[in-house]
């Protein structure tokens, strides 16, 4: 039910409500309107790149639908550098990395 959003610009004093609004805007470009339970930036703030956003959705089906449509963002002006991926544990990420080497 968790989704990670990468590459979405971050405001200087962005609060969770602004983050959720930005996430909703991205998802609307995919013709999707899932129920978002929560959305928060994770990690330490840096000047070099925006922090990823962890989004919790109400339904797993919405997550699967969004992941199928995620590559369509590359065709949307203003969202070409925004990427969606499932929220994986450290072990899952390491296993996935080993599979692609």
């Amino acid at each position: 039910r968790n989704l990670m959003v990468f590459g979405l610009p971050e405001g200087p004093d962005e609060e969770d409500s602004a983050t959720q609004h930005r996430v909703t805007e991205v998802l609307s470009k995919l013709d999707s309107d899932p129920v978002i339970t929560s959305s928060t930036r994770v990690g330490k703030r840096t000047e070099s790149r925006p922090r990823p956003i962890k989004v919790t959705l109400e339904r797993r089906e919405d997550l699967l639908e969004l992941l199928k449509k995620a590559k369509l963002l590359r065709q949307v002006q203003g969202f070409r550098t925004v990427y969606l991926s499932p929220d994986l544990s450290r072990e899952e990420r390491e296993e996935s990395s080993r599979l692609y080497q």
Side-chain angles (χ1 to χ4, degrees):
R1 294 182 7 201
N2 292 334
L3 175 74
M4 296 299 291
V5 180
F6 296 92
L8 195 60
E10 182 173 5
D13 296 322
E14 186 174 299
E15 295 184 10
D16 286 347
S17 60
T19 301
Q20 186 153 342
H21 178 72
R22 286 174 179 253
V23 169
T24 303
E25 183 181 0
V26 169
L27 301 183
S28 71
K29 298 295 182 187
L30 296 175
D31 294 326
S32 187
D33 189 24
V35 177
I36 298 173
T37 306
S38 68
S39 61
T40 55
R41 297 258 181 194
V42 294
K44 292 183 180 180
R45 183 184 293 264
T46 64
E47 295 294 322
S48 61
R49 62 182 168 175
R51 295 178 290 168
I53 303 170
K54 179 179 178 180
V55 180
T56 303
L57 303 173
E58 190 171 278
R59 298 175 349 125
R60 180 170 169 73
E61 294 80 14
D62 291 335
L63 169 67
L64 298 175
E65 177 188 343
L66 288 169
L67 291 173
K68 287 178 186 175
K69 294 179 175 181
K71 61 183 159 224
L72 299 175
L73 282 174
R74 295 180 199 148
Q75 300 167 3
V76 179
Q77 185 69 29
F79 294 105
R80 291 188 172 138
T81 60
V82 177
Y83 297 92
L84 306 181
S85 73
D87 182 25
L88 303 175
S89 68
R90 181 175 305 233
E91 293 80 18
E92 290 170 324
R93 287 193 306 268
E94 289 171 356
E95 179 65 25
S96 178
S97 175
R98 276 194 296 268
L99 290 173
Y100 289 106
Q101 286 184 353

XYZ file of all heavy atoms in Angstrom:
822
model
N 0.807 -1.201 0.000
C 0.000 0.000 0.000
C 0.844 1.256 0.000
O 0.310 2.348 -0.086
C -0.917 0.009 1.203
C -1.951 -1.051 1.190
C -2.878 -1.011 2.370
N -2.700 0.139 3.201
C -3.065 0.236 4.445
N -3.634 -0.777 5.029
N -2.879 1.324 5.131
N 2.170 1.110 0.111
C 3.048 2.283 0.129
C 3.733 2.483 -1.212
O 4.154 1.540 -1.856
C 4.098 2.153 1.219
C 3.495 2.219 2.597
O 2.444 2.798 2.801
N 4.153 1.603 3.553
N 3.850 3.750 -1.575
C 4.421 4.159 -2.842
C 5.488 5.207 -2.553
O 5.302 6.046 -1.673
C 3.298 4.769 -3.695
C 3.632 5.385 -5.024
C 3.935 4.278 -6.030
C 2.447 6.203 -5.517
N 6.594 5.158 -3.291
C 7.628 6.180 -3.152
C 7.598 7.057 -4.401
O 7.504 6.553 -5.525
C 9.006 5.544 -2.992
C 9.164 4.725 -1.730
S 8.937 5.658 -0.201
C 10.369 6.718 -0.214
N 7.666 8.370 -4.178
C 7.696 9.338 -5.269
C 9.051 10.025 -5.224
O 9.415 10.621 -4.206
C 6.558 10.386 -5.131
C 6.610 11.386 -6.266
C 5.202 9.702 -5.065
N 9.805 9.937 -6.310
C 11.135 10.526 -6.394
C 11.145 11.670 -7.392
O 10.452 11.621 -8.407
C 12.155 9.476 -6.847
C 12.328 8.344 -5.887
C 11.579 7.194 -6.023
C 13.233 8.434 -4.851
C 11.737 6.128 -5.142
C 13.402 7.390 -3.959
C 12.650 6.230 -4.107
N 11.953 12.697 -7.105
C 12.177 13.777 -8.061
C 11.172 14.899 -8.035
O 11.245 15.806 -8.864
N 10.244 14.900 -7.099
C 9.250 15.974 -7.022
C 9.863 17.140 -6.252
O 10.293 16.963 -5.109
C 7.984 15.475 -6.324
C 6.732 16.318 -6.471
C 6.352 16.454 -7.944
C 5.588 15.699 -5.713
N 9.959 18.332 -6.869
C 10.611 19.470 -6.204
C 10.025 19.739 -4.818
O 8.844 19.526 -4.571
C 10.335 20.639 -7.146
C 10.110 20.008 -8.472
C 9.463 18.688 -8.191
N 10.915 20.223 -3.941
C 10.549 20.456 -2.545
C 10.646 21.943 -2.228
O 11.655 22.584 -2.547
C 11.510 19.658 -1.666
C 11.256 19.745 -0.203
C 12.141 18.795 0.586
O 13.022 18.139 0.015
O 11.924 18.730 1.809
N 9.593 22.481 -1.613
C 9.614 23.878 -1.201
C 10.501 24.066 0.024
O 10.783 23.118 0.753
N 10.944 25.302 0.284
C 11.872 25.543 1.398
C 11.302 25.179 2.777
O 12.007 24.638 3.612
C 12.187 27.035 1.303
C 11.175 27.606 0.385
C 10.627 26.508 -0.445
N 10.049 25.469 3.013
C 9.425 25.156 4.307
C 8.184 24.299 4.090
O 7.145 24.529 4.711
C 9.050 26.441 5.046
C 10.267 27.270 5.407
O 11.294 26.662 5.771
O 10.206 28.514 5.310
N 8.293 23.329 3.225
C 7.135 22.522 2.832
C 6.609 21.687 3.998
O 7.362 21.005 4.673
C 7.538 21.600 1.681
C 6.392 20.822 1.106
C 6.816 20.039 -0.124
O 7.247 20.674 -1.107
O 6.725 18.821 -0.081
N 5.304 21.769 4.216
C 4.653 20.972 5.257
C 3.945 19.792 4.609
O 3.798 19.726 3.390
C 3.650 21.839 6.017
C 4.332 22.962 6.783
C 3.352 23.762 7.620
O 2.196 23.331 7.760
O 3.754 24.815 8.131
N 3.488 18.850 5.438
C 2.863 17.633 4.920
C 1.638 17.917 4.052
O 1.385 17.209 3.085
C 2.483 16.688 6.063
C 3.706 15.999 6.651
O 4.787 16.054 6.035
O 3.575 15.395 7.722
N 0.875 18.963 4.382
C -0.312 19.270 3.579
C 0.088 19.709 2.171
O -0.559 19.329 1.185
C -1.158 20.346 4.259
O -0.412 21.545 4.415
N 1.161 20.474 2.056
C 1.644 20.901 0.739
C 2.203 19.709 -0.026
O 2.019 19.592 -1.242
C 2.707 21.980 0.885
N 2.869 18.816 0.690
C 3.405 17.604 0.071
C 2.269 16.766 -0.493
O 2.336 16.292 -1.629
C 4.212 16.777 1.095
O 5.285 17.578 1.589
C 4.763 15.515 0.472
N 1.221 16.583 0.286
C 0.087 15.780 -0.174
C -0.570 16.416 -1.393
O -0.979 15.723 -2.320
C -0.934 15.579 0.938
C -2.049 14.626 0.526
C -2.682 13.914 1.691
O -2.121 13.852 2.768
N -3.850 13.370 1.475
N -0.654 17.739 -1.412
C -1.233 18.438 -2.565
C -0.392 18.176 -3.816
O -0.929 17.919 -4.898
C -1.335 19.935 -2.292
C -1.867 20.716 -3.434
N -3.190 20.667 -3.820
C -1.253 21.533 -4.317
C -3.371 21.432 -4.874
N -2.195 21.967 -5.203
N 0.946 18.228 -3.676
C 1.829 17.968 -4.808
C 1.667 16.532 -5.317
O 1.656 16.284 -6.511
C 3.286 18.209 -4.417
C 3.651 19.658 -4.277
C 5.065 19.783 -3.743
N 5.457 21.163 -3.608
C 6.324 21.769 -4.417
N 6.885 21.105 -5.394
N 6.629 23.022 -4.231
N 1.564 15.587 -4.385
C 1.387 14.177 -4.757
C 0.062 13.995 -5.494
O 0.003 13.313 -6.523
C 1.464 13.267 -3.516
C 1.016 11.852 -3.841
C 2.867 13.267 -2.942
N -0.986 14.604 -4.998
C -2.300 14.515 -5.642
C -2.238 15.064 -7.062
O -2.830 14.493 -7.986
C -3.352 15.281 -4.818
O -3.376 14.739 -3.497
C -4.723 15.175 -5.432
N -1.494 16.145 -7.244
C -1.343 16.735 -8.575
C -0.649 15.756 -9.532
O -1.078 15.581 -10.678
C -0.540 18.031 -8.475
C -0.383 18.770 -9.768
C 0.439 20.039 -9.617
O 0.884 20.355 -8.504
O 0.633 20.702 -10.652
N 0.394 15.092 -9.059
C 1.106 14.114 -9.886
C 0.186 12.965 -10.259
O 0.099 12.571 -11.426
C 2.360 13.572 -9.146
C 2.939 12.376 -9.885
C 3.399 14.657 -8.989
N -0.517 12.415 -9.283
C -1.379 11.261 -9.530
C -2.539 11.603 -10.452
O -2.997 10.759 -11.217
C -1.871 10.671 -8.210
C -0.773 10.193 -7.244
C -1.391 9.560 -6.023
C 0.206 9.274 -7.923
N -3.004 12.853 -10.399
C -4.093 13.257 -11.294
C -3.632 13.250 -12.750
O -4.436 13.029 -13.659
C -4.630 14.630 -10.905
O -3.695 15.644 -11.226
N -2.342 13.468 -12.996
C -1.807 13.421 -14.363
C -1.849 12.004 -14.925
O -1.761 11.812 -16.129
C -0.363 13.944 -14.407
C -0.213 15.383 -13.978
C -0.918 16.313 -14.923
C -0.692 17.757 -14.485
N -1.477 18.701 -15.260
N -1.993 11.023 -14.037
C -2.106 9.626 -14.462
C -3.563 9.176 -14.521
O -3.845 7.983 -14.561
C -1.328 8.729 -13.495
C 0.175 8.950 -13.440
C 0.799 8.097 -12.357
C 0.813 8.666 -14.784
N -4.481 10.137 -14.509
C -5.915 9.852 -14.513
C -6.292 8.895 -13.396
O -7.031 7.927 -13.588
C -6.365 9.276 -15.860
C -6.239 10.290 -16.971
O -6.443 11.490 -16.693
O -5.924 9.901 -18.109
N -5.762 9.173 -12.219
C -6.024 8.329 -11.065
C -6.353 9.216 -9.873
O -5.760 10.281 -9.704
C -4.796 7.470 -10.763
O -5.081 6.554 -9.759
N -7.287 8.767 -9.055
C -7.686 9.539 -7.877
C -7.793 8.602 -6.673
O -8.877 8.392 -6.141
C -9.014 10.240 -8.149
C -9.377 11.223 -7.055
O -8.464 11.705 -6.356
O -10.577 11.492 -6.884
N -6.647 8.031 -6.238
C -6.698 7.113 -5.097
C -6.885 7.866 -3.784
O -6.619 9.070 -3.703
C -5.331 6.443 -5.131
C -4.448 7.478 -5.718
C -5.300 8.203 -6.725
N -7.336 7.160 -2.765
C -7.455 7.752 -1.437
C -6.087 7.670 -0.774
O -5.546 6.587 -0.560
C -8.512 7.021 -0.590
C -8.571 7.593 0.809
C -9.863 7.098 -1.262
N -5.515 8.839 -0.474
C -4.191 8.919 0.149
C -4.375 9.001 1.652
O -5.011 9.928 2.154
C -3.410 10.128 -0.374
C -3.187 9.988 -1.876
C -2.084 10.261 0.367
C -2.582 11.213 -2.522
N -3.816 8.030 2.367
C -3.905 8.023 3.827
C -2.896 8.992 4.425
O -3.208 9.729 5.351
C -3.649 6.600 4.366
O -4.549 5.709 3.711
C -3.874 6.529 5.853
N -1.664 8.971 3.900
C -0.636 9.907 4.380
C 0.437 10.078 3.314
O 0.603 9.225 2.434
C 0.001 9.404 5.676
O 0.763 8.252 5.428
N 1.151 11.183 3.411
C 2.299 11.419 2.530
C 3.294 12.295 3.279
O 2.936 13.351 3.781
C 1.866 12.082 1.226
O 1.270 13.329 1.487
N 4.527 11.821 3.368
C 5.570 12.563 4.071
C 6.902 12.422 3.346
O 7.183 11.389 2.737
C 5.765 12.058 5.517
O 6.024 10.656 5.475
C 4.562 12.320 6.374
N 7.706 13.459 3.431
C 9.070 13.422 2.902
C 9.914 12.599 3.861
O 9.744 12.673 5.076
C 9.651 14.825 2.801
C 8.906 15.719 1.832
C 9.646 15.846 0.552
N 8.938 16.720 -0.379
C 9.232 16.772 -1.648
N 10.209 16.043 -2.136
N 8.568 17.549 -2.462
N 10.822 11.800 3.323
C 11.693 10.975 4.160
C 13.151 11.322 3.897
O 13.516 11.734 2.799
C 11.455 9.464 3.926
C 10.076 9.057 4.385
C 11.652 9.087 2.477
N 13.978 11.161 4.923
C 15.401 11.449 4.793
C 15.734 12.862 5.235
O 14.865 13.641 5.629
N 17.016 13.158 5.175
C 17.501 14.484 5.567
C 17.414 15.432 4.384
O 17.679 15.053 3.247
C 18.952 14.401 6.039
C 19.112 13.654 7.329
C 20.545 13.672 7.776
C 20.684 12.922 9.086
N 22.070 12.914 9.555
N 17.071 16.663 4.670
C 16.976 17.691 3.637
C 18.386 18.048 3.152
O 19.294 18.249 3.952
C 16.291 18.930 4.207
C 16.065 20.039 3.191
C 15.475 21.259 3.857
N 14.135 21.017 4.340
C 13.037 21.319 3.675
N 13.116 21.895 2.501
N 11.850 21.080 4.188
N 18.554 18.092 1.829
C 19.821 18.515 1.229
C 19.532 19.537 0.141
O 18.410 19.615 -0.367
C 20.589 17.330 0.597
O 19.814 16.810 -0.480
C 20.868 16.231 1.606
N 20.552 20.278 -0.211
C 20.405 21.283 -1.265
C 20.480 20.639 -2.655
O 19.952 21.182 -3.612
C 21.506 22.339 -1.138
C 21.423 23.158 0.138
C 20.177 24.023 0.197
O 19.778 24.560 -0.868
O 19.607 24.152 1.286
N 21.136 19.487 -2.745
C 21.417 18.910 -4.057
C 20.204 18.280 -4.740
O 20.097 18.306 -5.959
C 22.535 17.883 -3.944
O 22.154 16.837 -3.074
N 19.290 17.687 -3.969
C 18.129 17.050 -4.591
C 16.974 16.957 -3.595
O 17.185 16.925 -2.384
C 18.473 15.681 -5.141
C 18.932 14.711 -4.106
C 19.290 13.398 -4.747
N 19.986 12.575 -3.780
C 20.344 11.353 -3.982
N 20.071 10.771 -5.115
N 20.976 10.669 -3.068
N 15.744 16.878 -4.125
C 14.589 16.788 -3.227
C 14.506 15.417 -2.558
O 14.908 14.401 -3.142
C 13.393 17.015 -4.151
C 13.872 16.647 -5.513
C 15.344 16.948 -5.536
N 13.985 15.406 -1.338
C 13.802 14.142 -0.626
C 12.654 13.356 -1.253
O 11.705 13.936 -1.777
C 13.457 14.404 0.846
C 14.574 15.071 1.610
C 14.163 15.351 3.032
N 13.155 16.412 3.048
C 12.432 16.732 4.118
N 12.580 16.077 5.241
N 11.548 17.692 4.053
N 12.727 12.022 -1.203
C 11.607 11.229 -1.699
C 10.387 11.372 -0.791
O 10.503 11.786 0.358
C 12.137 9.794 -1.679
C 13.363 9.804 -0.862
C 13.840 11.207 -0.754
N 9.241 11.025 -1.321
C 7.988 11.110 -0.575
C 7.425 9.704 -0.421
O 7.278 8.973 -1.402
C 6.957 11.986 -1.312
C 7.521 13.378 -1.559
C 5.653 12.054 -0.522
C 6.675 14.217 -2.491
N 7.106 9.343 0.812
C 6.446 8.060 1.073
C 4.948 8.334 1.133
O 4.482 9.132 1.941
C 6.923 7.468 2.388
C 6.263 6.149 2.719
C 6.786 5.594 4.033
C 6.096 4.313 4.393
N 6.599 3.779 5.672
N 4.218 7.659 0.257
C 2.771 7.845 0.153
C 2.088 6.543 0.564
O 2.407 5.486 0.027
C 2.352 8.217 -1.288
C 0.852 8.418 -1.385
C 3.097 9.443 -1.763
N 1.157 6.633 1.503
C 0.376 5.470 1.908
C -1.011 5.599 1.303
O -1.691 6.605 1.508
C 0.284 5.366 3.446
O 1.605 5.314 3.978
C -0.482 4.123 3.867
N -1.388 4.572 0.543
C -2.693 4.555 -0.110
C -3.638 3.653 0.667
O -3.207 2.730 1.355
C -2.561 4.042 -1.542
C -1.603 4.817 -2.440
C -1.447 4.104 -3.765
C -2.079 6.232 -2.640
N -4.922 3.905 0.528
C -5.916 3.109 1.234
C -6.040 1.700 0.653
O -6.246 0.737 1.386
C -7.273 3.816 1.186
C -8.303 3.201 2.095
C -9.549 4.044 2.178
O -9.554 5.011 2.958
O -10.508 3.736 1.438
N -5.890 1.585 -0.674
C -6.102 0.281 -1.314
C -4.867 -0.158 -2.095
O -4.261 0.629 -2.823
C -7.283 0.349 -2.289
C -8.594 0.682 -1.625
C -9.744 0.861 -2.593
N -9.391 0.942 -3.997
C -9.915 0.148 -4.945
N -10.813 -0.744 -4.632
N -9.561 0.291 -6.203
N -4.513 -1.409 -1.975
C -3.385 -1.979 -2.713
C -3.648 -1.950 -4.218
O -2.726 -1.769 -5.016
C -3.126 -3.404 -2.249
C -1.969 -4.076 -2.960
C -1.593 -5.384 -2.301
N -0.675 -6.163 -3.104
C 0.607 -5.895 -3.293
N 1.136 -4.822 -2.734
N 1.371 -6.681 -4.032
N -4.896 -2.101 -4.625
C -5.245 -2.076 -6.047
C -4.856 -0.740 -6.679
O -4.420 -0.694 -7.829
C -6.747 -2.331 -6.248
C -7.191 -3.726 -5.856
C -7.388 -3.903 -4.354
O -7.453 -2.900 -3.598
O -7.455 -5.064 -3.917
N -5.033 0.356 -5.923
C -4.640 1.678 -6.425
C -3.130 1.739 -6.640
O -2.653 2.310 -7.624
C -5.071 2.780 -5.446
C -6.579 2.956 -5.395
O -7.261 2.620 -6.389
O -7.076 3.429 -4.355
N -2.384 1.156 -5.711
C -0.922 1.119 -5.836
C -0.514 0.399 -7.120
O 0.302 0.907 -7.893
C -0.306 0.417 -4.619
C 1.171 0.077 -4.718
C 2.008 1.339 -4.743
C 1.582 -0.829 -3.584
N -1.086 -0.766 -7.355
C -0.740 -1.541 -8.547
C -1.099 -0.792 -9.833
O -0.337 -0.794 -10.803
C -1.419 -2.903 -8.497
C -0.996 -3.795 -7.321
C -1.827 -5.075 -7.299
C 0.480 -4.101 -7.359
N -2.246 -0.122 -9.829
C -2.665 0.654 -11.003
C -1.691 1.799 -11.270
O -1.284 2.041 -12.406
C -4.072 1.215 -10.777
C -4.551 2.093 -11.905
C -5.857 2.805 -11.582
O -6.552 2.398 -10.637
O -6.152 3.774 -12.289
N -1.280 2.501 -10.210
C -0.351 3.620 -10.365
C 1.009 3.151 -10.874
O 1.627 3.813 -11.711
C -0.186 4.369 -9.040
C -1.385 5.191 -8.613
C -1.224 5.657 -7.180
C -1.569 6.376 -9.545
N 1.487 2.034 -10.372
C 2.780 1.524 -10.821
C 2.745 1.141 -12.297
O 3.730 1.322 -13.013
C 3.218 0.338 -9.959
C 3.583 0.701 -8.517
C 3.836 -0.564 -7.711
C 4.771 1.639 -8.463
N 1.611 0.647 -12.760
C 1.467 0.315 -14.186
C 1.512 1.568 -15.053
O 2.041 1.552 -16.163
C 0.159 -0.429 -14.437
C 0.166 -1.853 -13.943
C -1.176 -2.509 -14.189
C -1.234 -3.884 -13.566
N -2.567 -4.500 -13.696
N 0.947 2.664 -14.547
C 0.865 3.906 -15.316
C 2.071 4.828 -15.102
O 2.176 5.862 -15.769
C -0.392 4.681 -14.914
C -1.685 4.005 -15.263
C -2.833 4.864 -14.794
C -4.178 4.328 -15.199
N -5.274 5.204 -14.750
N 2.971 4.481 -14.200
C 4.042 5.385 -13.775
C 4.888 5.904 -14.934
O 5.286 7.071 -14.952
C 4.930 4.694 -12.742
N 5.179 5.068 -15.905
C 6.050 5.503 -17.001
C 5.414 6.588 -17.860
O 6.103 7.276 -18.606
C 6.491 4.317 -17.838
C 5.394 3.557 -18.494
C 5.947 2.357 -19.233
C 4.835 1.354 -19.434
N 5.227 0.005 -19.155
N 4.105 6.777 -17.759
C 3.427 7.830 -18.517
C 3.832 9.225 -18.057
O 3.679 10.191 -18.808
C 1.909 7.667 -18.415
C 1.323 6.366 -18.966
C -0.173 6.296 -18.686
C 1.609 6.232 -20.451
N 4.369 9.333 -16.834
C 4.794 10.642 -16.326
C 5.915 11.237 -17.165
O 6.068 12.454 -17.233
C 5.251 10.537 -14.868
C 4.156 10.462 -13.827
C 4.761 10.214 -12.454
C 3.322 11.724 -13.814
N 6.706 10.402 -17.808
C 7.825 10.892 -18.630
C 7.350 11.720 -19.815
O 8.124 12.468 -20.399
C 8.665 9.725 -19.123
C 9.332 8.994 -17.990
C 10.169 7.843 -18.492
N 10.406 6.940 -17.373
C 10.536 5.643 -17.480
N 10.455 5.072 -18.662
N 10.745 4.898 -16.426
N 6.070 11.579 -20.163
C 5.509 12.309 -21.294
C 4.783 13.580 -20.865
O 4.320 14.337 -21.699
C 4.536 11.405 -22.052
C 5.178 10.152 -22.584
C 4.158 9.137 -23.060
O 2.970 9.381 -23.039
N 4.635 7.989 -23.494
N 4.690 13.815 -19.548
C 3.948 14.966 -19.043
C 4.915 16.097 -18.722
O 5.838 15.935 -17.920
C 3.148 14.582 -17.772
C 2.399 15.785 -17.230
C 2.191 13.441 -18.071
N 4.710 17.239 -19.384
C 5.559 18.405 -19.152
C 5.545 18.781 -17.668
O 4.487 18.856 -17.058
C 5.037 19.590 -19.986
C 5.898 20.818 -19.932
C 7.235 20.629 -20.632
O 7.358 19.856 -21.567
N 8.230 21.340 -20.157
N 6.707 18.980 -17.092
C 6.818 19.361 -15.690
C 6.965 18.183 -14.746
O 7.300 18.360 -13.584
N 6.728 16.973 -15.234
C 6.836 15.786 -14.377
C 7.763 14.728 -14.994
O 7.722 13.574 -14.610
C 5.452 15.175 -14.133
C 4.559 16.075 -13.336
C 3.533 16.774 -13.965
C 4.741 16.253 -11.981
C 2.707 17.613 -13.242
C 3.923 17.088 -11.252
C 2.906 17.779 -11.882
N 8.600 15.139 -15.933
C 9.471 14.175 -16.620
C 10.534 13.582 -15.707
O 11.068 12.522 -16.000
C 10.124 14.833 -17.827
C 9.105 15.110 -18.906
C 9.742 15.579 -20.188
N 8.710 15.644 -21.210
C 8.607 16.631 -22.077
N 9.478 17.614 -22.062
N 7.642 16.624 -22.973
N 10.859 14.267 -14.633
C 11.884 13.762 -13.707
C 11.274 13.143 -12.452
O 11.987 12.869 -11.493
C 12.848 14.884 -13.291
O 12.091 15.916 -12.648
C 13.577 15.452 -14.503
N 9.958 12.936 -12.458
C 9.267 12.341 -11.313
C 9.087 10.851 -11.574
O 8.632 10.450 -12.647
C 7.895 13.010 -11.071
C 7.147 12.337 -9.941
C 8.082 14.492 -10.782
N 9.477 10.047 -10.593
C 9.398 8.592 -10.729
C 8.629 7.994 -9.568
O 8.744 8.469 -8.435
C 10.807 7.981 -10.776
C 11.592 8.449 -11.977
C 12.410 9.565 -11.902
C 11.484 7.784 -13.182
C 13.109 10.016 -13.011
C 12.178 8.214 -14.303
C 12.999 9.329 -14.199
O 13.675 9.769 -15.307
N 7.867 6.945 -9.844
C 7.122 6.225 -8.816
C 7.709 4.825 -8.687
O 8.075 4.208 -9.684
C 5.646 6.103 -9.202
C 4.889 7.374 -9.556
C 3.437 7.032 -9.888
C 4.947 8.375 -8.440
N 7.775 4.344 -7.460
C 8.213 2.964 -7.246
C 7.560 2.443 -5.979
O 7.157 3.224 -5.111
C 9.735 2.878 -7.153
O 10.180 3.405 -5.926
N 7.474 1.118 -5.844
C 6.917 0.573 -4.601
C 7.873 0.848 -3.447
O 9.084 0.977 -3.652
C 6.795 -0.925 -4.883
C 7.731 -1.189 -6.004
C 7.842 0.082 -6.788
N 7.338 0.974 -2.255
C 8.156 1.162 -1.060
C 8.687 -0.200 -0.636
O 7.920 -1.075 -0.233
C 7.302 1.786 0.057
C 8.099 2.050 1.316
O 9.328 2.220 1.213
O 7.496 2.086 2.398
N 9.986 -0.394 -0.758
C 10.614 -1.668 -0.435
C 11.463 -1.546 0.827
O 12.031 -0.484 1.092
C 11.516 -2.126 -1.588
C 10.873 -2.275 -2.959
C 11.927 -2.612 -4.005
C 9.790 -3.318 -2.932
N 11.578 -2.635 1.561
C 12.463 -2.651 2.721
C 13.909 -2.684 2.220
O 14.184 -2.937 1.043
C 12.187 -3.881 3.586
O 12.587 -5.047 2.893
N 14.852 -2.460 3.116
C 16.263 -2.480 2.741
C 16.631 -3.836 2.129
O 17.335 -3.899 1.121
C 17.125 -2.209 3.966
C 18.600 -2.194 3.672
C 19.375 -1.812 4.881
N 18.880 -0.536 5.356
C 19.627 0.530 5.595
N 20.899 0.456 5.437
N 19.088 1.652 6.013
N 16.158 -4.923 2.747
C 16.462 -6.256 2.241
C 15.888 -6.460 0.835
O 16.533 -7.044 -0.040
C 15.922 -7.340 3.187
C 16.606 -7.387 4.535
C 16.092 -6.331 5.508
O 14.984 -5.785 5.287
O 16.812 -6.026 6.473
N 14.674 -5.985 0.607
C 14.052 -6.113 -0.710
C 14.821 -5.316 -1.760
O 14.996 -5.770 -2.888
C 12.595 -5.656 -0.664
C 11.683 -6.584 0.114
C 10.308 -5.998 0.346
O 10.188 -4.765 0.556
O 9.339 -6.777 0.318
N 15.286 -4.117 -1.394
C 16.070 -3.303 -2.325
C 17.391 -3.985 -2.669
O 17.824 -3.984 -3.823
C 16.335 -1.910 -1.745
C 15.128 -1.003 -1.741
C 15.500 0.443 -1.467
N 16.268 0.625 -0.255
C 15.767 0.889 0.945
N 14.459 1.004 1.094
N 16.543 1.059 1.993
N 18.053 -4.568 -1.655
C 19.322 -5.256 -1.898
C 19.115 -6.479 -2.794
O 19.910 -6.731 -3.696
C 19.960 -5.663 -0.571
C 20.483 -4.480 0.208
C 20.925 -4.827 1.621
O 20.760 -5.996 2.046
O 21.423 -3.917 2.307
N 18.053 -7.227 -2.550
C 17.751 -8.394 -3.375
C 17.470 -7.972 -4.816
O 17.957 -8.589 -5.759
C 16.551 -9.158 -2.808
C 16.154 -10.367 -3.602
C 17.204 -11.465 -3.622
O 18.024 -11.528 -2.681
O 17.203 -12.250 -4.571
N 16.709 -6.918 -4.989
C 16.400 -6.419 -6.319
C 17.678 -5.952 -7.020
O 17.881 -6.211 -8.205
C 15.408 -5.259 -6.219
O 15.129 -4.730 -7.476
N 18.553 -5.307 -6.286
C 19.822 -4.835 -6.848
C 20.676 -6.017 -7.311
O 21.286 -5.977 -8.375
C 20.566 -4.019 -5.805
O 21.827 -3.644 -6.283
N 20.709 -7.077 -6.515
C 21.479 -8.263 -6.896
C 20.917 -8.914 -8.159
O 21.665 -9.399 -8.995
C 21.469 -9.285 -5.753
C 22.523 -9.030 -4.705
C 22.680 -10.234 -3.815
N 21.482 -10.536 -3.043
C 21.232 -10.077 -1.830
N 22.108 -9.296 -1.234
N 20.124 -10.395 -1.202
N 19.606 -8.904 -8.304
C 18.994 -9.527 -9.470
C 19.343 -8.798 -10.768
O 19.401 -9.405 -11.837
C 17.478 -9.574 -9.306
C 16.948 -10.538 -8.255
C 15.446 -10.359 -8.091
C 17.275 -11.969 -8.614
N 19.552 -7.470 -10.683
C 19.811 -6.683 -11.879
C 21.285 -6.505 -12.171
O 21.646 -5.824 -13.119
C 19.121 -5.315 -11.791
C 17.627 -5.433 -11.928
C 16.781 -5.281 -10.835
C 17.053 -5.715 -13.156
C 15.416 -5.402 -10.972
C 15.694 -5.841 -13.306
C 14.867 -5.683 -12.202
O 13.518 -5.791 -12.368
N 22.157 -7.106 -11.393
C 23.602 -6.968 -11.654
C 24.101 -8.005 -12.617
O 23.609 -9.023 -12.839
C 24.392 -7.076 -10.344
C 24.255 -5.833 -9.518
C 25.117 -5.901 -8.251
O 25.701 -6.925 -7.946
N 25.162 -4.813 -7.526
